[in-house]
Amino acid sequence: MYVDIQSNRLELDDDLRQHTLHRLHGAMDWASDDVKTIYVRFSKIDRFDRCHTTRCLIQISLSNKPVVVTEDSESDVNAAVDKAVDRIARVMVRKFGRFREADSHWFEHQGTKVKPTRLAKVNLKMMPS
């Protein structure tokens, strides 16, 4: 799994990079066989009231499945990362749930009781920061 992190008008320090990698690997570890590339883009949004908001956009390229994209904006960059990772993890579970149903029907038609291992249940509890 390749992770590409870039920022626009925002300082990308090692703490932010490590926090992002930690959250992504924790949330996407169960799908690591299907995830090819994860792109993370940070940008600073200047609002009319002079408050700065940070936008975190995450795009995941999957093998043989459509691209998954989500974004979130918060005043705190770590909160934006946490919310965006949680959101994309939920989207991935829904997407793989649809494939899980199709795969389980295929296995039933083949006359076997074995379920694919990559389709195990996913625990989406918040990881400690």
Side-chain angles (χ1 to χ4, degrees):
M1 174 168 47
Y2 173 75
V3 180
D4 180 27
I5 302 174
Q6 294 182 9
S7 68
N8 181 17
R9 296 179 19 165
L10 181 75
E11 184 179 338
L12 186 61
D13 58 355
D14 285 338
D15 290 338
L16 177 58
R17 187 181 303 274
Q18 290 301 319
H19 176 75
T20 305
L21 289 173
H22 175 73
R23 292 286 297 162
L24 283 171
H25 284 293
M28 294 294 134
D29 190 37
W30 62 274
S32 62
D33 293 339
D34 293 310
V35 174
K36 293 191 316 188
T37 307
I38 300 176
Y39 298 102
V40 181
R41 301 292 181 261
F42 294 105
S43 58
K44 188 177 278 191
I45 302 169
D46 294 327
R47 297 188 336 201
F48 63 92
D49 56 357
R50 297 186 186 204
C51 292
H52 299 291
T53 303
T54 303
R55 182 179 75 127
C56 177
L57 180 127
I58 301 175
Q59 176 180 337
I60 298 180
S61 299
L62 302 167
S63 56
N64 301 323
K65 292 176 185 69
V67 174
V68 180
V69 179
T70 188
E71 69 177 80
D72 209 307
S73 300
E74 285 290 325
S75 57
D76 179 34
V77 67
N78 289 329
V81 169
D82 293 343
K83 285 187 171 184
V85 169
D86 289 343
R87 180 177 288 170
I88 202 146
R90 287 192 305 270
V91 169
M92 293 281 291
V93 167
R94 277 197 313 265
K95 242 183 214 316
F96 277 87
R98 292 181 193 138
F99 293 118
R100 178 184 307 138
E101 290 173 10
D103 286 349
S104 64
H105 290 305
W106 183 84
F107 276 91
E108 288 172 9
H109 290 304
Q110 298 302 316
T112 181
K113 301 286 185 189
V114 178
K115 299 280 184 187
T117 57
R118 68 176 178 83
L119 301 174
K121 288 186 178 179
V122 178
N123 186 2
L124 284 180
K125 290 185 179 176
M126 293 283 293
M127 292 182 57
S129 302

